[in-house]
Amino acid sequence: MKHLYLNLKRFDIPVELGGVNRLAPVEQWGGRIVENTQEELKQYDRSEAEFVQFFPETHLLNALAARCEDSPVQIGCQGIYRMNTSPGGNFGAFTTQRPANSMKAIGCMHTIIGHCEERNDKAGILQEAGKTDRYAVNRILNQEIRQAVGAGMKVLYCVGENSEEQLRWKDVLKEQLETGLEGVDKTQVVIAYEPIWSIGPGKKPADKAYITKAACAIKEITGGCDVVYGGGLKEDNAGMLSEIEEIDGGLIALTRFQGEIGFYPSEYLRIIALYMS
């Protein structure tokens, strides 16, 4: 099974406000993306590939409503809270947070947890509090994963090393995986490998050999979890990634990195076609 994920981050913000949304008015944006991708994705055998699109919370209902009866598009949310509601327990006193049950109730079957941007945010909060415990972020993420899996959701769990950690990359991955997945049913989890040191303008992308050795290590540490490339599945690396036996898919975000930078459905579909071919 190949897993093709789409992380739409905050791509809904209009250009005049500093964003990259040239697709549709904000109130139509989520639905427009689903409508412009689901028909073409029907050509792929669902026993061989799944397509999950992670939307900012504002757009989840709109995206879910746009799915046709036989849509291959699955909708996911961008994270959940480390606590949840429970019958006879907390009924939802989580201001600003999204508990797993709220996401499951509206139709989300997937969530992304541990993306490097989420890790950075949590680490920044700890630093403001004067804490230097580098294991704490993984413990918090473990709580989130447990809540998601407990609510019946599937998890894309992101791991990866930054430039300061690159020399001990395997130890970093082992810590993130062992702590993050402690007590978790790993059959409900797919791992996204993000080589953070290689992501971004001016950085040298991780090559085939490096990605392969990282994917092999992750499968060894987790006992065989599926691994997708989270450093960005793009037109220029889709062919290379499809050749790596240990990689089971990828995470797409931006589709255009020059000119009118942003996400474009037709380019997303082209990336998938290149990878699947």
Side-chain angles (χ1 to χ4, degrees), residues 17 20 43 56 68 83 88 92 103 113 118-120 124 131 139 158 160 175 192 228 237 242 260 265 275:
L17 296 178
V20 296
Q43 68 181 289
C68 61
M83 298 173 65
M103 297 295 95
I113 291 175
E118 180 188 7
R119 288 179 178 274
N120 287 341
K131 302 295 183 181
R139 293 197 298 269
C158 301
E175 177 205 321
V228 303
N237 67 11
S242 70
E260 293 187 337
Y275 180 80

Side-chain angles (χ1 to χ4, degrees), residues 42 140 191 196 217 270:
K42 288 181 180 180
I140 294 170
I191 308 300
I196 302 167
R270 187 157 62 245

Side-chain angles (χ1 to χ4, degrees), residues 221-235:
I221 295 165
T222 62
C225 280
D226 282 358
V227 180
V228 303
Y229 184 62
L233 175 58
K234 313 166 189 175
E235 285 193 54

